[in-house]
Amino acid sequence: MAEIDLFANQLLEEAKRFLEKAKDCVDPAGKAANLHAALTLSFCALDAHINAIGEEFSVHADLSAHEKGFLLERDVRLVDGEFKIQSGLKMARLEDRIEFLHARFSGTPLDRSAAWWGKLSSATQLRNQLTHAKTVPAISESAVRNATKAIIDTLDQLYKAIYKRKFPPTSQGLNSQLSF
């Protein structure tokens, strides 16, 4: 297993542990901090997993420079009459990268009406309330639990579509292997 895969799994485990700590916390400020950490780390884990998958598939010879650039989040420019991947960062929406990976490497478009996709959209809205706060967000334990589950389900669906197997951490659900 690649180092980035191990790190992405570690981030997910940390998110689940913070969710467990939030459940056990009686102090409202501590509970909120644990929920914020769980939500943020859940999305960090998703992003790391998507980056790892993108990196893995970027070496396919049949990909265009634009497709490789999209997977690697790199700028693509015309250099001497050829499209070349540049070192400059060109961010893409996480949802767009998930859709591209699913469609390009499974051979079928992602079903945007699937329940798991809707749950990921709800999780993203919750994350955006926290990371782009304009008011004090009301982030509940159940909402963070649902968001973390949505991220695990998203990775499971992507693994099934691309690799034809389950996302390994799916069987653990929201139970963390950490004890800090």
Side-chain angles (χ1 to χ4, degrees):
M1 184 176 281
E3 189 175 354
I4 186 61
D5 294 317
L6 294 172
F7 181 64
N9 285 335
Q10 180 68 25
L11 290 171
L12 184 57
E13 286 300 314
E14 291 171 5
K16 293 188 298 185
R17 181 62 185 137
F18 277 112
L19 185 55
E20 291 168 347
K21 288 177 77 70
K23 181 181 176 187
D24 296 337
C25 194
V26 294
D27 174 45
K31 185 177 205 71
N34 285 312
L35 290 174
H36 296 163
L39 181 61
T40 303
L41 284 167
S42 292
F43 272 94
C44 290
L46 176 60
D47 204 5
H49 277 289
I50 297 304
N51 287 338
I53 296 168
E55 182 77 32
E56 176 185 346
F57 282 100
S58 71
V59 298
H60 280 222
D62 64 332
L63 294 179
S64 71
H66 285 93
E67 288 173 319
K68 287 180 183 181
F70 184 74
L71 287 175
L72 299 171
E73 291 189 303
R74 296 284 180 232
D75 196 20
V76 176
R77 303 261 177 177
L78 189 63
V79 178
D80 297 327
E82 283 185 62
F83 287 107
K84 302 272 185 179
I85 297 173
Q86 304 297 298
S87 61
L89 185 63
K90 185 170 184 178
M91 300 291 287
R93 284 178 4 107
L94 187 58
E95 295 86 349
D96 291 343
R97 295 179 73 214
I98 292 168
E99 279 192 84
F100 176 76
L101 285 166
H102 190 287
R104 183 64 168 87
F105 300 108
S106 77
T108 59
L110 186 146
D111 179 5
R112 298 178 106 227
S113 66
W116 68 268
W117 185 255
K119 291 175 183 176
L120 178 64
S121 295
S122 295
T124 301
Q125 289 173 356
L126 183 65
R127 188 245 358 233
N128 289 345
Q129 290 175 18
L130 179 63
T131 59
H132 308 291
K134 294 185 180 17
T135 61
V136 178
I139 297 179
S140 69
E141 184 181 328
S142 65
V144 175
R145 187 180 317 106
N146 291 339
T148 304
K149 179 80 171 92
I151 287 167
I152 293 168
D153 290 347
T154 296
L155 289 166
D156 190 47
Q157 290 298 319
L158 201 54
Y159 265 63
K160 287 175 183 174
I162 294 173
Y163 300 113
K164 310 300 184 224
R165 63 182 169 89
K166 292 180 66 130
F167 175 59
T170 302
S171 61
Q172 293 173 271
L174 296 176
N175 299 317
S176 173
Q177 295 179 339
L178 301 177
S179 61
F180 63 83

